[in-house]
Amino acid sequence: QNLPEAAVAHLISLQQSGGGWEWTPGGFGTGADTNTTALAVQALIAAGECSHSSSIVSGLDFLKQSQNTDGGFPYDADSPYGTDSDANSTAYVIQAILSTGDDPSAWTINNTNPISYLMSLQLPDGSFEFQPGSGANLFSTQQAIPALLERSFPFNGVLTQCPMLYLPLV
């Protein structure tokens, strides 16, 4: 379904001067973060924005500048609460990169990239850690799977329903 042009224009208008989007726009001053930026990029692409538009290019530039030397991404590269890469943020960024038709493995830094960083967080039981040494994390595992399956949001494809079984009333 096509989105109203005003909705797309409003999302673009919320983009910060540095290219990213913030979780709580409207004067709360939280600043741009990788998660919100990755989701905004995916939403704009899904709404028909071209991958080479200034909004998308600026958003990707913001994400690239936020990439850590381990190949992963933090929630906020300027956070006073920590700037280590994590599975959730890295997965969202992978999905944003994929949504534009780019290859996340091309975002290599120090011989690692977002995919290899995310894979480094997988534990022997198949689950993923939020950060190295933090142990299995359900939310991180749930976010890593679509990214590693190379699926961006919204998922494209046909949703099917299970057929109803009609049993005779006795």
Side-chain angles (χ1 to χ4, degrees):
Q1 183 172 352
N2 292 331
L3 296 175
E5 287 183 31
V8 175
H10 182 67
L11 180 55
I12 291 171
S13 77
L14 296 174
Q15 190 169 24
Q16 304 290 297
S17 61
W21 279 264
E22 67 180 329
W23 180 63
T24 54
F28 292 104
T30 58
D33 64 81
T34 60
N35 294 10
T36 307
T37 300
L39 290 171
V41 166
Q42 291 176 77
L44 289 171
I45 291 292
E49 191 73 13
C50 295
S51 62
H52 57 273
S53 75
S54 62
S55 292
I56 299 299
V57 170
S58 295
L60 290 175
D61 286 345
F62 170 82
L63 293 172
K64 186 65 173 164
Q65 293 170 14
S66 300
Q67 188 175 19
N68 283 330
T69 58
D70 59 12
F73 292 84
Y75 175 77
D76 180 356
D78 296 322
S79 174
Y81 304 106
T83 59
D84 292 343
S85 297
D86 66 76
N88 304 35
S89 301
T90 301
Y92 272 152
V93 173
I94 289 169
Q95 291 177 288
I97 295 166
L98 290 167
S99 75
T100 66
D102 200 359
D103 179 1
S105 64
W107 288 43
T108 298
I109 186 167
N110 292 335
N111 295 318
T112 188
N113 60 61
I115 300 287
S116 59
Y117 173 76
L118 191 55
M119 290 301 300
S120 77
L121 296 176
Q122 190 170 28
L123 298 173
D125 68 357
S127 66
F128 286 80
E129 300 179 281
F130 176 70
Q131 292 176 324
S134 64
N137 182 292
L138 179 59
F139 191 51
S140 296
T141 302
Q142 292 169 331
Q143 285 195 269
I145 291 169
L148 293 173
L149 288 174
E150 299 182 353
R151 300 292 302 268
S152 60
F153 292 119
F155 294 135
N156 292 326
V158 177
L159 297 177
T160 58
Q161 293 182 324
C162 297
M164 295 292 295
L165 293 177
Y166 295 98
L167 300 176
L169 296 174
V170 183

